[in-house]
Tab-separated table of all heavy atoms in Angstrom:
chain	number	residue	atom	x	y	z
A	1230	ALA	N	269.790	-80.442	-66.145
A	1230	ALA	CA	270.415	-80.629	-64.832
A	1230	ALA	C	271.884	-80.466	-64.857
A	1230	ALA	O	272.511	-80.120	-63.756
A	1230	ALA	CB	269.928	-81.953	-64.227
A	1231	GLY	N	272.488	-80.878	-65.945
A	1231	GLY	CA	273.879	-81.113	-65.968
A	1231	GLY	C	274.432	-82.575	-65.795
A	1231	GLY	O	273.740	-83.250	-65.051
A	1232	PRO	N	275.419	-82.900	-66.676
A	1232	PRO	CA	275.832	-84.384	-66.650
A	1232	PRO	C	276.227	-84.928	-65.365
A	1232	PRO	O	276.172	-86.170	-65.123
A	1232	PRO	CB	276.873	-84.420	-67.739
A	1232	PRO	CG	277.435	-82.996	-67.790
A	1232	PRO	CD	276.114	-82.122	-67.618
A	1233	SER	N	276.933	-84.129	-64.406
A	1233	SER	CA	277.394	-84.557	-63.096
A	1233	SER	C	276.321	-84.710	-62.148
A	1233	SER	O	276.598	-85.110	-61.059
A	1233	SER	CB	278.445	-83.618	-62.680
A	1233	SER	OG	277.881	-82.271	-62.407
A	1234	TYR	N	275.122	-84.226	-62.485
A	1234	TYR	CA	274.082	-84.126	-61.312
A	1234	TYR	C	273.674	-85.458	-60.823
A	1234	TYR	O	273.674	-85.829	-59.634
A	1234	TYR	CB	272.818	-83.476	-61.937
A	1234	TYR	CG	271.749	-83.493	-60.884
A	1234	TYR	CD1	271.622	-82.460	-59.832
A	1234	TYR	CD2	270.706	-84.488	-60.984
A	1234	TYR	CE1	270.654	-82.672	-58.890
A	1234	TYR	CE2	269.760	-84.482	-60.104
A	1234	TYR	CZ	269.644	-83.547	-59.003
A	1234	TYR	OH	268.620	-83.647	-58.090
A	1235	PHE	N	273.459	-86.407	-61.766
A	1235	PHE	CA	272.805	-87.715	-61.462
A	1235	PHE	C	273.754	-88.615	-60.713
A	1235	PHE	O	273.477	-89.198	-59.577
A	1235	PHE	CB	272.248	-88.448	-62.627
A	1235	PHE	CG	271.062	-87.770	-63.083
A	1235	PHE	CD1	270.965	-86.908	-64.105
A	1235	PHE	CD2	269.727	-88.114	-62.507
A	1235	PHE	CE1	269.827	-86.333	-64.584
A	1235	PHE	CE2	268.593	-87.519	-63.002
A	1235	PHE	CZ	268.651	-86.614	-64.004
A	1236	PRO	N	275.092	-88.801	-60.934
A	1236	PRO	CA	276.071	-89.525	-60.164
A	1236	PRO	C	276.167	-88.931	-58.854
A	1236	PRO	O	276.228	-89.558	-57.788
A	1236	PRO	CB	277.316	-89.526	-60.935
A	1236	PRO	CG	277.170	-88.556	-61.908
A	1236	PRO	CD	275.693	-88.417	-62.206
A	1237	ILE	N	276.260	-87.493	-58.669
A	1237	ILE	CA	276.524	-86.878	-57.471
A	1237	ILE	C	275.215	-87.181	-56.511
A	1237	ILE	O	275.294	-87.462	-55.285
A	1237	ILE	CB	276.688	-85.375	-57.594
A	1237	ILE	CG1	278.034	-85.222	-58.190
A	1237	ILE	CG2	276.543	-84.659	-56.331
A	1237	ILE	CD1	278.499	-83.672	-58.670
A	1238	ALA	N	273.998	-87.040	-57.118
A	1238	ALA	CA	272.803	-87.123	-56.380
A	1238	ALA	C	272.657	-88.537	-55.853
A	1238	ALA	O	272.139	-88.825	-54.746
A	1238	ALA	CB	271.666	-86.707	-57.090
A	1239	LEU	N	273.166	-89.542	-56.718
A	1239	LEU	CA	272.974	-90.886	-56.306
A	1239	LEU	C	273.890	-91.273	-55.156
A	1239	LEU	O	273.439	-91.833	-54.046
A	1239	LEU	CB	273.433	-91.809	-57.334
A	1239	LEU	CG	273.316	-93.393	-57.248
A	1239	LEU	CD1	271.953	-93.730	-56.932
A	1239	LEU	CD2	273.922	-94.011	-58.472
A	1240	VAL	N	275.179	-90.824	-55.200
A	1240	VAL	CA	276.046	-91.161	-54.004
A	1240	VAL	C	275.692	-90.419	-52.853
A	1240	VAL	O	275.971	-90.838	-51.620
A	1240	VAL	CB	277.545	-90.944	-54.405
A	1240	VAL	CG1	278.429	-91.140	-53.290
A	1240	VAL	CG2	277.806	-91.750	-55.653
A	1241	ALA	N	275.164	-89.014	-53.014
A	1241	ALA	CA	274.945	-88.278	-51.854
A	1241	ALA	C	273.751	-88.869	-50.991
A	1241	ALA	O	273.761	-88.486	-49.778
A	1241	ALA	CB	274.565	-86.778	-52.279
A	1242	ARG	N	272.924	-89.678	-51.556
A	1242	ARG	CA	271.769	-90.244	-50.727
A	1242	ARG	C	272.127	-91.476	-50.020
A	1242	ARG	O	271.360	-92.005	-49.272
A	1242	ARG	CB	270.479	-90.388	-51.596
A	1242	ARG	CG	270.631	-91.550	-52.590
A	1242	ARG	CD	269.430	-91.571	-53.488
A	1242	ARG	NE	269.335	-90.567	-54.495
A	1242	ARG	CZ	268.233	-90.230	-55.164
A	1242	ARG	NH1	267.207	-90.843	-54.989
A	1242	ARG	NH2	268.312	-89.242	-56.040
A	1243	LEU	N	273.241	-92.020	-50.323
A	1243	LEU	CA	273.783	-93.277	-49.692
A	1243	LEU	C	273.928	-93.258	-48.179
A	1243	LEU	O	273.437	-94.136	-47.473
A	1243	LEU	CB	275.137	-93.790	-50.393
A	1243	LEU	CG	275.589	-95.096	-49.961
A	1243	LEU	CD1	274.520	-96.288	-50.253
A	1243	LEU	CD2	276.942	-95.476	-50.631
A	1244	PRO	N	274.455	-92.101	-47.640
A	1244	PRO	CA	274.694	-92.090	-46.132
A	1244	PRO	C	273.269	-92.183	-45.427
A	1244	PRO	O	273.033	-92.854	-44.307
A	1244	PRO	CB	275.200	-90.788	-45.886
A	1244	PRO	CG	276.024	-90.506	-47.168
A	1244	PRO	CD	275.186	-91.014	-48.211
A	1245	TYR	N	272.260	-91.710	-45.947
A	1245	TYR	CA	270.831	-91.699	-45.475
A	1245	TYR	C	270.432	-93.283	-45.324
A	1245	TYR	O	269.851	-93.600	-44.335
A	1245	TYR	CB	269.823	-91.012	-46.358
A	1245	TYR	CG	268.542	-90.629	-45.708
A	1245	TYR	CD1	268.386	-89.538	-44.948
A	1245	TYR	CD2	267.412	-91.457	-45.953
A	1245	TYR	CE1	267.230	-89.300	-44.336
A	1245	TYR	CE2	266.207	-91.024	-45.490
A	1245	TYR	CZ	266.056	-89.946	-44.544
A	1245	TYR	OH	264.891	-89.727	-44.038
A	1246	ALA	N	270.782	-93.980	-46.322
A	1246	ALA	CA	270.344	-95.396	-46.286
A	1246	ALA	C	271.255	-96.321	-45.383
A	1246	ALA	O	270.970	-97.347	-45.008
A	1246	ALA	CB	270.409	-96.089	-47.760
A	1247	MET	N	272.450	-95.791	-45.050
A	1247	MET	CA	273.448	-96.422	-44.223
A	1247	MET	C	273.154	-96.036	-42.628
A	1247	MET	O	273.668	-96.899	-41.774
A	1247	MET	CB	274.818	-96.015	-44.510
A	1247	MET	CG	275.395	-96.426	-45.859
A	1247	MET	SD	276.910	-95.640	-46.323
A	1247	MET	CE	278.068	-96.390	-45.094
A	1248	MET	N	272.400	-95.004	-42.268
A	1248	MET	CA	272.372	-94.585	-40.987
A	1248	MET	C	271.659	-95.553	-39.980
A	1248	MET	O	272.340	-95.928	-39.037
A	1248	MET	CB	271.489	-93.275	-40.907
A	1248	MET	CG	272.193	-92.058	-41.439
A	1248	MET	SD	271.264	-90.644	-40.993
A	1248	MET	CE	269.578	-91.069	-41.410
A	1249	VAL	N	270.552	-96.101	-40.361
A	1249	VAL	CA	269.702	-96.932	-39.477
A	1249	VAL	C	270.557	-98.249	-39.127
A	1249	VAL	O	270.837	-98.699	-38.013
A	1249	VAL	CB	268.334	-97.247	-40.099
A	1249	VAL	CG1	267.680	-98.284	-39.096
A	1249	VAL	CG2	267.544	-95.950	-40.105
A	1250	VAL	N	271.031	-98.969	-40.276
A	1250	VAL	CA	271.722	-100.144	-40.060
A	1250	VAL	C	273.170	-99.826	-39.332
A	1250	VAL	O	273.615	-100.585	-38.598
A	1250	VAL	CB	271.814	-100.929	-41.433
A	1250	VAL	CG1	272.595	-102.260	-41.134
A	1250	VAL	CG2	270.516	-101.189	-42.027
A	1251	GLY	N	273.730	-98.826	-39.772
A	1251	GLY	CA	275.055	-98.543	-39.297
A	1251	GLY	C	274.971	-98.268	-37.726
A	1251	GLY	O	275.872	-98.682	-37.017
A	1252	VAL	N	273.994	-97.431	-37.319
A	1252	VAL	CA	273.864	-97.187	-35.908
A	1252	VAL	C	273.537	-98.553	-35.145
A	1252	VAL	O	274.091	-98.662	-34.173
A	1252	VAL	CB	272.716	-96.094	-35.610
A	1252	VAL	CG1	272.343	-96.136	-34.211
A	1252	VAL	CG2	273.182	-94.790	-36.137
A	1253	LEU	N	272.688	-99.421	-35.764
A	1253	LEU	CA	272.371	-100.579	-35.103
A	1253	LEU	C	273.636	-101.408	-34.920
A	1253	LEU	O	273.810	-101.985	-33.878
A	1253	LEU	CB	271.434	-101.296	-35.946
A	1253	LEU	CG	270.990	-102.766	-35.540
A	1253	LEU	CD1	270.263	-102.731	-34.305
A	1253	LEU	CD2	270.049	-103.473	-36.695
A	1254	THR	N	274.431	-101.605	-36.031
A	1254	THR	CA	275.712	-102.447	-35.940
A	1254	THR	C	276.655	-101.822	-34.885
A	1254	THR	O	277.196	-102.531	-34.115
A	1254	THR	CB	276.325	-102.405	-37.360
A	1254	THR	OG1	275.479	-102.918	-38.288
A	1254	THR	CG2	277.611	-103.198	-37.283
A	1255	LEU	N	276.744	-100.557	-34.921
A	1255	LEU	CA	277.690	-99.905	-33.970
A	1255	LEU	C	277.296	-99.938	-32.512
A	1255	LEU	O	278.113	-100.504	-31.700
A	1255	LEU	CB	277.725	-98.460	-34.324
A	1255	LEU	CG	278.689	-97.575	-33.328
A	1255	LEU	CD1	280.160	-98.010	-33.558
A	1255	LEU	CD2	278.569	-96.143	-33.759
A	1256	VAL	N	276.128	-99.794	-32.196
A	1256	VAL	CA	275.604	-99.930	-30.841
A	1256	VAL	C	275.558	-101.280	-30.319
A	1256	VAL	O	275.951	-101.545	-29.161
A	1256	VAL	CB	274.255	-99.301	-30.679
A	1256	VAL	CG1	273.682	-99.449	-29.305
A	1256	VAL	CG2	274.262	-97.773	-31.030
A	1257	VAL	N	275.292	-102.297	-31.103
A	1257	VAL	CA	275.287	-103.715	-30.723
A	1257	VAL	C	276.626	-104.155	-30.434
A	1257	VAL	O	276.948	-104.793	-29.458
A	1257	VAL	CB	274.674	-104.627	-31.791
A	1257	VAL	CG1	274.969	-106.026	-31.552
A	1257	VAL	CG2	273.115	-104.309	-31.903
A	1258	ALA	N	277.650	-103.692	-31.352
A	1258	ALA	CA	279.031	-104.081	-30.916
A	1258	ALA	C	279.554	-103.316	-29.712
A	1258	ALA	O	280.310	-103.917	-28.986
A	1258	ALA	CB	279.869	-103.663	-32.190
A	1259	GLY	N	279.322	-101.952	-29.634
A	1259	GLY	CA	279.882	-101.166	-28.580
A	1259	GLY	C	279.145	-101.392	-27.161
A	1259	GLY	O	279.951	-101.217	-26.231
A	1260	ARG	N	277.926	-101.621	-27.175
A	1260	ARG	CA	277.198	-101.652	-25.988
A	1260	ARG	C	276.618	-103.076	-25.683
A	1260	ARG	O	275.906	-103.371	-24.631
A	1260	ARG	CB	276.029	-100.769	-25.960
A	1260	ARG	CG	276.398	-99.289	-26.006
A	1260	ARG	CD	277.002	-98.726	-24.767
A	1260	ARG	NE	277.680	-97.441	-24.828
A	1260	ARG	CZ	277.443	-96.452	-24.003
A	1260	ARG	NH1	276.725	-96.632	-22.810
A	1260	ARG	NH2	278.201	-95.341	-24.000
A	1261	ASP	N	276.997	-104.070	-26.577
A	1261	ASP	CA	276.699	-105.481	-26.389
A	1261	ASP	C	275.247	-105.687	-25.953
A	1261	ASP	O	274.851	-106.509	-25.057
A	1261	ASP	CB	277.464	-106.029	-25.364
A	1261	ASP	CG	277.501	-107.627	-25.253
A	1261	ASP	OD1	277.298	-108.129	-26.397
A	1261	ASP	OD2	277.760	-108.198	-24.159
A	1262	SER	N	274.325	-105.095	-26.770
A	1262	SER	CA	272.871	-105.246	-26.496
A	1262	SER	C	272.069	-105.059	-27.888
A	1262	SER	O	272.010	-103.899	-28.266
A	1262	SER	CB	272.309	-104.213	-25.474
A	1262	SER	OG	271.080	-104.257	-25.326
A	1263	LEU	N	271.431	-106.068	-28.321
A	1263	LEU	CA	270.707	-106.055	-29.578
A	1263	LEU	C	269.443	-105.249	-29.306
A	1263	LEU	O	269.075	-104.434	-30.141
A	1263	LEU	CB	270.245	-107.356	-30.119
A	1263	LEU	CG	269.475	-107.499	-31.354
A	1263	LEU	CD1	270.144	-106.919	-32.446
A	1263	LEU	CD2	269.021	-108.812	-31.573
A	1264	ALA	N	268.761	-105.259	-28.145
A	1264	ALA	CA	267.644	-104.479	-27.747
A	1264	ALA	C	268.075	-103.049	-27.783
A	1264	ALA	O	267.207	-102.150	-28.425
A	1264	ALA	CB	266.955	-104.916	-26.455
A	1265	PHE	N	269.147	-102.651	-27.195
A	1265	PHE	CA	269.504	-101.179	-27.197
A	1265	PHE	C	269.833	-100.765	-28.504
A	1265	PHE	O	269.647	-99.576	-28.871
A	1265	PHE	CB	270.701	-101.068	-26.173
A	1265	PHE	CG	271.049	-99.653	-25.788
A	1265	PHE	CD1	270.136	-98.735	-25.427
A	1265	PHE	CD2	272.314	-99.048	-26.143
A	1265	PHE	CE1	270.418	-97.312	-25.166
A	1265	PHE	CE2	272.607	-97.829	-25.827
A	1265	PHE	CZ	271.674	-96.892	-25.381
A	1266	GLY	N	270.599	-101.637	-29.343
A	1266	GLY	CA	270.909	-101.197	-30.644
A	1266	GLY	C	269.630	-100.947	-31.479
A	1266	GLY	O	269.523	-99.900	-32.246
A	1267	GLY	N	268.462	-101.696	-31.280
A	1267	GLY	CA	267.263	-101.683	-32.013
A	1267	GLY	C	266.534	-100.202	-31.633
A	1267	GLY	O	265.931	-99.532	-32.429
A	1268	LEU	N	266.674	-99.891	-30.278
A	1268	LEU	CA	266.112	-98.718	-29.746
A	1268	LEU	C	266.788	-97.453	-30.444
A	1268	LEU	O	266.099	-96.555	-30.704
A	1268	LEU	CB	266.251	-98.822	-28.244
A	1268	LEU	CG	265.680	-97.526	-27.406
A	1268	LEU	CD1	264.215	-97.294	-27.784
A	1268	LEU	CD2	266.064	-97.585	-25.936
């Protein structure tokens, strides 16, 4: 695969794991609603 493949693939999948919690945190802070953040 090439020696650079595994570190690149590892970091590249991190945004996917940050999306749900990141959007929740942002919406709760910006719209002041935990229910709307969860939605």
Side-chain angles (χ1 to χ4, degrees):
S1233 63
Y1234 175 82
F1235 288 97
I1237 290 174
L1239 181 64
V1240 180
R1242 71 182 77 194
L1243 186 59
Y1245 195 81
M1247 295 170 63
M1248 288 190 313
V1249 173
V1250 181
V1252 167
L1253 174 64
T1254 302
L1255 176 63
V1256 175
V1257 170
R1260 296 285 169 139
D1261 195 26
S1262 172
L1263 180 59
F1265 188 57
L1268 179 60

